[in-house]
């Protein structure tokens, strides 16, 4: 496992402060719930916490990275640290049973055994109830860390038995600075755009650079600009192309998405939000897709404010439909036809007289 210090975590001072104080006060709960969007550093912080608590010679609130415990953890052959991830979008009861079996025994080498349940909000009901029993009978020397993007999806009794640690979205300028420091992104303009559209998630920003997402985005924007003049046959062709997008191409597969079409919808939702900003205020400084200002200004002329609001609702509903396993070709066709129909509509005005 890669060595991680708290200082490696980007802009999560509140979360890190809570964890450091728990050791300083010698009040370390047996279970933590790390909450926040995907990619803000929850799992990375759990690893840093494991290094810190098990370090033989911590310095300045950080693990040393050199002691026997730190070296053993870095080797990847350490029996007292385990991460659990969802299997096909779910954390299942068999996985929780394995955790409970491990927890019957004290740590083999370390002061604390860490078990990190990633995306714990994806436990099914059976698994959540089994996990609750583990929380009710905490074995000594064990620390459980559950990460969750949406804690409301966890049963309340699980939430109530964990020390909650909140993680916040990271500021745009800090994400852009991180990308520049790592030498990622084509230039400062692209880094700035990525930092704006990644929703405050450094992990998502990194995936955008490393997966070729920005090249796909450019193609999707080009297709959007053509929709107002497409005929019915061309719309059907584009809908079929959308429905063939592979799930493996998803930018954030861990969020439970079913098709890379969801990434396209996310890009288009951001663009239409920006078009609405341009249409209503003309303040281009407030838009996310700052590299597309001329195209957004041109598209703003093709849609009324009412049409733009309708389209944003339609795109939001389409994402929900995809996650319910609706037919992706029909969903795509409905979106494209709806956008095409709303292009060039006249403003609706009420006249008195």
């Amino acid at each position: 496992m890669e060595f991680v210090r708290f200082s490696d975590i980007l802009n999560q001072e509140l979360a890190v402060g809570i964890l450091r104080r728990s050791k300083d006060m010698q009040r370390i709960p047996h279970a933590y719930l790390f909450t926040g969007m995907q990619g803000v550093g929850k799992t990375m912080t759990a690893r840093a916490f494991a290094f810190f608590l098990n370090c033989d010679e911590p310095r300045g609130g950080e693990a040393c990275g050199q002691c026997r415990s730190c070296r053993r953890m870095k080797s990847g052959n350490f029996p007292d640290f385990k991460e659990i991830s969802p299997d096909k979008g779910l954390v299942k009861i068999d996985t929780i049973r394995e955790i409970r079996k491990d927890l019957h025994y004290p740590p083999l080498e370390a002061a604390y055994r860490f078990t990190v349940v990633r995306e714990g909000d994806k436990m099914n009901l059976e698994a959540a109830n089994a996990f609750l029993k583990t929380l009710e009978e905490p074995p000594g020397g064990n620390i459980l860390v559950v990460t969750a993007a949406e804690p409301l999806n966890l049963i309340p009794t699980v939430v109530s038995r964990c020390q909650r640690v909140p993680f916040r979205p990271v500021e745009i300028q800090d994400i852009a600075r991180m990308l520049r420091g790592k030498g990622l992104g084509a230039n400062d303009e692209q880094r700035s755009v990525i930092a704006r559209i990644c929703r405050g998630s450094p992990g998502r920003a990194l995936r955008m650079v490393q997966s070729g997402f920005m090249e796909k985005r450019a193609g999707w924007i080009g297709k959007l600009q053509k929709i107002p003049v497409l005929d019915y046959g061309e719309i059907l062709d584009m809908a079929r192309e959308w429905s063939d997008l592979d799930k493996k191409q998803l930018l954030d597969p861990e969020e439970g998405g079913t098709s890379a079409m969801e990434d396209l919808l996310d890009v288009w939702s951001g663009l239409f939000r920006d078009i609405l900003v341009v249409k209503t205020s003309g303040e281009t400084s407030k838009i996310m897709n700052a590299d597309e200002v001329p195209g957004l200004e041109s598209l703003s002329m093709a849609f009324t404010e009412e049409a733009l609001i309708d389209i944003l609702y339609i795109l939001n509903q389409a994402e929900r439909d995809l996650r319910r396993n609706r037919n992706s070709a029909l969903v795509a066709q409905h979106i494209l036809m709806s956008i095409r129909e709303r292009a060039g509509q006249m403003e609706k005005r009420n006249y008195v007289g």
Side-chain angles (χ1 to χ4, degrees):
M1 180 169 65
E2 183 182 0
F3 177 56
V4 187
R5 292 187 174 96
F6 285 135
S7 55
D8 297 322
I9 313 300
L10 187 63
N11 281 35
Q12 297 298 342
E13 290 80 5
L14 174 62
V16 169
I18 291 171
L19 300 177
R20 279 179 168 151
R21 283 193 298 275
S22 67
K23 182 176 182 181
D24 292 342
M25 299 172 67
Q26 292 299 306
R27 297 178 64 180
I28 301 171
H30 67 279
Y32 290 87
L33 175 60
F34 289 6
T35 60
M37 66 172 63
Q38 290 278 354
V40 291
K42 300 188 297 296
T43 300
M44 193 173 175
T45 303
R47 295 170 186 165
F49 193 34
F51 273 109
F52 178 55
L53 283 188
N54 285 321
C55 181
D56 298 328
E57 301 176 20
R59 301 164 190 165
E62 298 278 23
C64 71
Q66 303 299 323
C67 68
R68 181 180 181 278
S69 176
C70 287
R71 292 198 308 272
R72 288 283 285 126
M73 287 187 69
K74 287 193 291 185
S75 73
N77 185 26
F78 189 66
D80 293 323
F81 183 90
K82 179 180 286 188
E83 285 182 14
I84 306 298
S85 296
D87 176 20
K88 296 180 180 178
L90 284 176
V91 178
K92 301 173 184 176
I93 189 169
D94 289 343
T95 301
I96 302 303
R97 284 172 177 159
E98 284 297 315
I99 291 174
R100 295 193 67 193
K101 190 186 300 181
D102 291 343
L103 298 184
H104 282 309
Y105 305 98
L108 294 175
E109 296 184 16
Y112 297 95
R113 173 190 284 118
F114 267 76
T115 304
V116 181
V117 182
R118 300 181 64 194
E119 300 179 86
D121 46 337
K122 293 179 182 173
M123 290 186 205
N124 59 26
L125 186 58
E126 264 190 321
N129 285 326
F131 189 71
L132 181 60
K133 292 179 181 177
T134 303
L135 294 176
E136 288 172 341
E137 305 163 5
N142 285 277
I143 294 177
L144 291 160
V145 177
V146 181
T147 73
E150 184 44 79
L152 290 175
N153 290 339
L154 285 162
I155 60 177
T157 41
V158 167
V159 175
S160 67
R161 284 168 171 77
C162 298
Q163 167 69 56
R164 189 161 177 176
V165 181
F167 285 71
R168 297 171 174 171
V170 177
E171 295 291 333
I172 291 170
Q173 62 270 23
D174 294 318
I175 295 175
R177 192 179 301 119
M178 174 202 71
L179 294 173
R180 189 181 306 112
K182 292 179 178 290
L184 298 173
N187 48 49
D188 282 344
E189 181 186 45
Q190 188 187 74
R191 285 187 278 268
S192 176
V193 171
I194 291 170
R196 287 172 180 271
I197 67 176
C198 72
R199 309 178 198 155
S201 168
R204 184 175 171 85
L206 290 171
R207 289 191 291 278
M208 284 179 171
V209 176
Q210 296 164 348
S211 68
F213 176 83
M214 296 302 286
E215 289 74 15
K216 295 177 191 174
R217 168 182 172 269
W220 294 337
I221 292 172
K223 290 182 184 300
L224 172 60
Q225 292 169 336
K226 295 177 182 177
I227 290 178
V229 296
L230 291 181
D231 61 31
Y232 184 69
E234 291 170 324
I235 283 177
L236 289 180
D237 289 341
M238 190 181 289
R240 279 192 290 270
E241 180 185 335
W242 279 24
S243 65
D244 289 337
L245 291 174
D246 191 340
K247 178 180 179 179
K248 293 178 183 177
Q249 296 176 311
L250 266 168
L251 182 63
D252 295 314
E254 292 179 351
E255 290 190 1
T258 59
S259 165
M261 182 173 160
E262 291 176 40
D263 288 338
L264 185 152
L265 293 180
D266 185 63
V267 168
W268 280 18
S269 293
L271 288 165
F272 275 106
R273 174 262 181 202
D274 284 346
I275 294 169
L276 185 59
V277 170
V278 171
K279 187 79 174 178
T280 55
S281 71
E283 295 187 35
T284 56
S285 62
K286 293 183 178 180
I287 69 174
M288 296 186 297
N289 297 275
D291 57 335
E292 294 292 335
V293 170
L296 295 173
E297 290 177 333
S298 175
L299 279 168
S300 73
M301 304 299 292
F303 298 95
T304 67
E305 291 179 25
E306 182 181 14
L308 290 169
I309 293 168
D310 284 349
I311 291 168
L312 285 169
Y313 173 80
I314 289 164
L315 292 171
N316 183 266
Q317 181 62 48
E319 186 172 349
R320 291 199 296 270
D321 288 342
L322 285 177
R323 288 176 181 256
R324 293 173 185 145
N325 294 316
R326 301 284 171 82
N327 185 295
S328 59
L330 292 178
V331 171
Q333 185 177 332
H334 173 66
I335 294 167
L336 294 169
M337 290 298 296
S338 297
I339 295 174
R340 177 66 184 86
E341 288 169 1
R342 285 162 177 76
Q345 286 183 348
M346 297 297 291
E347 295 279 0
K348 292 182 180 178
R349 302 183 187 275
N350 293 322
Y351 293 92
V352 177

